Amino acid sequence: MSAFEAALNAFDTVRSIKVQLAVAKPAAVGSGAVSVFLDELSLLETAQAGHHLSGSWYNPAWNGQGFFLDLANTTRAFDLPVFFGGWFTWTTTPGQRNWWTVQGQVRADRVSFSVFETRDGLFLDPRPVTNHAIGSGSIRFLSCTQAEVQIQLDGQPAQSFPLARLTPVPAGCANFFP
């Protein structure tokens, strides 16, 4: 016998979910009856990242650095919410800055993303810019005001650091955290 495990993420407006289970057998197996046994079915309430976490976030220990995050809920059933953000940070050369973008998908209380660097842009210049991936990471939301980032930039050791919300907490945000 083999085990099957799956997770289903529901939108914040969903109040009930209908789950149907089916067992399919190849024709060569025969036409005998099929039994399904559920012996540890559980429903877990987890935090859900979504539009209520959009806004400005920063690490209080690092002056002048942070993220502008936009978590957009989708409207089609079973689509994962999408995530986009701007990450403003400093280079290793004093006074120089990097503005990177992060984008990915939301799963429960976490967003997983790729980090992109854009180069060759000039103010009001219509020529195309170049974008390339420079790493990956995730943000885990602990509450409406606290989060933790894990980041792995190409050629550098992985890092983790806390984030605090800079912009006001929207009404009802606490409803998304158990």
Side-chain angles (χ1 to χ4, degrees):
M1 180 188 314
S2 62
F4 174 78
E5 182 177 324
L8 175 66
N9 293 322
F11 299 108
D12 57 327
T13 56
V14 172
R15 296 295 175 237
S16 65
I17 298 174
K18 178 181 178 182
V19 178
Q20 290 182 287
L21 300 174
V23 177
K25 297 184 341 182
V29 173
S31 60
V34 175
S35 298
V36 176
F37 299 97
L38 301 174
D39 66 342
E40 284 188 38
L41 182 63
S42 62
L43 300 175
L44 302 174
E45 184 177 358
T46 60
Q48 181 63 45
H51 65 280
H52 53 282
L53 296 170
S54 294
S56 297
W57 294 76
Y58 75 111
N59 180 335
W62 298 343
N63 189 21
Q65 301 180 64
F67 292 86
F68 294 121
L69 304 180
D70 185 15
L71 290 85
N73 294 349
T74 58
T75 57
R76 296 178 298 170
F78 301 109
D79 278 354
L80 294 173
V82 293
F83 163 76
F84 179 81
W87 181 8
F88 50 100
T89 187
W90 302 103
T91 69
T92 56
T93 303
Q96 287 186 348
R97 61 190 170 276
N98 278 329
W99 285 60
W100 294 329
T101 55
V102 293
Q103 59 188 24
Q105 289 191 320
V106 179
R107 296 188 192 280
D109 66 343
R110 182 179 309 266
V111 295
S112 298
F113 56 83
S114 296
V115 180
F116 294 91
E117 183 175 55
T118 303
R119 294 202 173 240
D120 305 322
L122 294 172
F123 183 67
L124 297 177
D125 188 342
R127 288 178 285 185
V129 296
T130 57
N131 294 302
H132 63 281
I134 61 168
S136 61
S138 66
I139 300 175
R140 183 171 157 246
F141 293 94
L142 307 172
S143 71
C144 295
T145 59
Q146 302 294 314
E148 180 179 85
V149 174
Q150 293 183 330
I151 196 82
Q152 172 69 57
L153 297 176
D154 295 344
Q156 296 184 18
Q159 297 182 43
S160 294
F161 53 89
L163 288 180
R165 187 182 204 115
L166 182 61
T167 49
V169 176
C173 182
N175 297 337
F176 295 91
F177 290 88

